């Protein structure tokens, strides 16, 4: 486990991952139900209203950039693809399928730009989408914070109970906010829990890294999909035994380990992409439900592109 697993090739994409992911993948790949009588195709604008109902823009962090990036609201959105990143491969997948709208977690353009010239990869993405007749929308920290959001899905996948936000949303409901903390139904060891985390997330080159005693007993678990090293103080306040997040860097981790008197919270560092990919399938189902309630039928799929940027890893190995 500590030597990592080979990155999934572009042809295989997310195939060949864990059984849980296979199940999700198969669900995601199944064609949507045929349009029911009287159902109509939503426009991009209708899809945006449904997105607002599920993941309100007001829940996004002030620094974030969410909402419609490319596209005309009045155009049809018969085929909708969910993905983590608006990468070249994801856009190719969307255009090959004939998607009308791609909903991504990460913004294509977080910072203001002066040009969308196709000579830069971001401008090229904009051009390819427009030329292919495909809109692009972002659901980022609003998707993190909402009920049923990225960290909620992780908490659910890990089997946590009595879940609450690590950092409550300033203006939202008590259940809304960044990160989640809850309890396993039964105490287990850090090593066994790390094994569960590893088995649930998609297989990526970097694997899963753990800081702490493999045999230590853990029950209270904090999670934050994506980069979560800004939440260490909240994790300590939550009295979590272990914290699962991504993108953990040397200094925040080193200081957190030094500050942990009894070793807690132990840390599990997972793939940023993997921690957020899990959300796509329930997000797609939620959007399909909201659209159906409004009498709309769209074909909705989850991307099978693995956009984790790492390709292989060398470690001394401990197994
Ligand atoms: Zn992220």
């Amino acid at each position: 486990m500590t030597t990592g697993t080979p990155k999934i090739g572009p042809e295989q994409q997310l195939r060949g991952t864990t059984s849980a992911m296979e199940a999700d993948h198969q669900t995601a790949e199944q064609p949507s139900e045929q349009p029911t009588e009287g159902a109509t195709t939503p426009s991009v604008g209708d899809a945006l209203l449904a997105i607002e109902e599920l993941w309100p823009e007001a829940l996004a962090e002030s620094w974030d950039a969410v909402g419609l990036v490319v596209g005309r609201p009045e155009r049809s959105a018969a085929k909708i693809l969910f993905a983590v990143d608006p990468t070249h491969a994801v856009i190719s997948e969307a255009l090959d399928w004939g998607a009308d709208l791609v909903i991504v977690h990460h913004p294509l353009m977080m910072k203001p730009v002066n040009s969308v010239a196709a000579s830069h990869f971001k401008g090229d993405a904009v051009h390819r989408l427009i030329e292919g007749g495909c809109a692009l929308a972002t659901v980022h920290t609003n998707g993190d914070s909402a009920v049923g959001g990225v960290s909620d899905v992780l908490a659910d996948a890990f089997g946590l109970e009595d879940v609450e936000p690590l950092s409550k949303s300033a203006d939202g409901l008590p259940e809304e906010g960044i990160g989640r903390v809850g309890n396993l139904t039964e105490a287990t060891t850090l090593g066994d829990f790390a094994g569960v985390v590893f088995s649930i997330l998609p297989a990526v080159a970097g694997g899963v890294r753990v800081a702490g005693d493999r045999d230590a007993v853990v029950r209270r678990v904090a999670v934050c999909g994506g980069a979560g090293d800004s939440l260490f103080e909240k994790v300590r306040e939550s009295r979590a035994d272990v914290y699962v997040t991504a993108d953990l860097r040397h200094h925040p981790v080193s200081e957190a380990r030094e500050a942990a008197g009894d070793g807690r919270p132990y840390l599990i560092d997972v793939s940023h992409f993997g921690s957020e990919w899990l959300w796509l399938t329930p997000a797609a189902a939620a959007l399909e439900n909201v659209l159906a309630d409004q009498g709309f039928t769209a074909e909705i799929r989850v991307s099978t592109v693995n956009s984790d940027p790492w390709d292989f890893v060398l470690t001394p190995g401990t197994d």
Side-chain angles (χ1 to χ4, degrees):
M1 180 186 305
T2 46
T3 53
T5 53
K7 183 177 177 178
I8 302 152
E11 287 76 30
Q12 295 160 296
Q13 296 174 343
L14 284 173
R15 292 174 181 81
T17 57
T18 66
S19 57
M21 291 299 292
E22 286 284 337
D24 280 348
H25 174 68
Q26 284 163 8
T27 304
E29 277 237 309
Q30 281 171 5
S32 297
E33 289 172 16
Q34 291 302 307
T36 51
E37 207 170 319
T40 54
T41 301
S43 66
V44 170
D46 294 326
L48 290 172
L49 288 174
I51 287 171
E52 177 65 20
E53 188 174 323
L54 288 164
W55 310 291
E57 285 201 15
L59 288 178
E61 299 290 312
S62 57
W63 47 261
D64 206 358
V66 302
L68 189 63
V69 182
V70 170
R72 295 185 188 277
E74 67 273 18
R75 289 283 294 267
S76 163
K79 289 183 169 184
I80 302 173
L81 182 73
F82 273 82
V84 173
D85 294 291
T87 59
H88 190 89
V90 166
I91 293 172
S92 294
E93 180 187 32
L95 298 182
D96 288 348
W97 180 45
D100 304 297
L101 170 63
V102 182
I103 299 171
V104 287
H105 187 55
H106 290 144
L108 175 66
M109 293 173 287
M110 179 80 91
K111 295 175 185 164
V113 298
N114 296 315
S115 164
V116 289
S119 49
H120 187 274
F121 77 90
K122 295 198 178 194
D124 184 55
V126 171
H127 278 73
R128 292 180 72 214
L129 286 162
I130 293 173
E131 288 159 7
C134 184
L136 176 71
T138 310
V139 177
H140 192 209
T141 50
N142 44 332
D144 289 326
S145 183
V147 174
V150 173
S151 294
D152 253 347
V153 169
L154 280 177
D156 200 41
F158 298 156
L160 303 187
E161 296 184 328
D162 304 320
V163 173
E164 56 184 334
L166 267 177
S167 178
K168 287 189 170 57
S169 172
D171 308 317
L173 302 167
E175 309 86 43
E176 294 171 337
I178 301 296
R180 295 291 185 270
V181 61
N183 302 315
L184 296 168
T185 51
E186 284 181 32
T188 184
T189 64
L190 178 62
D192 284 349
F193 178 66
V196 169
V197 170
F198 180 78
S199 71
I200 286 172
L201 296 179
V204 294
V208 166
R209 297 189 297 180
V210 185
D213 177 358
R214 190 185 284 251
D215 298 321
V217 174
V218 297
R219 180 155 195 191
R220 189 158 174 78
V221 179
V223 300
C224 181
D229 60 14
S230 64
L231 289 175
F232 275 132
E233 200 56 49
K234 296 288 184 185
V235 173
R236 275 190 284 271
E237 285 172 16
S238 77
R239 304 183 321 282
D241 298 314
V242 55
Y243 181 36
V244 185
T245 189
D247 290 353
L248 289 178
R249 295 168 298 157
H250 174 83
H251 289 298
V253 170
S254 176
E255 291 182 10
R257 299 302 297 143
E258 290 295 310
D262 64 349
R264 292 177 168 79
Y266 306 116
L267 302 174
I268 300 182
D269 187 29
V270 301
S271 153
H272 187 133
F273 157 81
S275 71
E276 297 174 334
W277 192 90
L278 222 54
W279 171 72
L280 301 181
T281 295
L287 182 69
E288 191 161 17
N289 285 340
V290 169
L291 287 173
D293 285 348
Q294 296 165 356
F296 294 119
T297 299
E299 199 177 341
I300 304 179
R301 277 190 189 180
V302 170
S303 170
T304 56
V305 172
N306 175 2
S307 55
D308 186 280
W310 299 106
D311 291 309
F312 63 93
V313 62
L314 306 177
T315 75
T318 55
D319 287 341

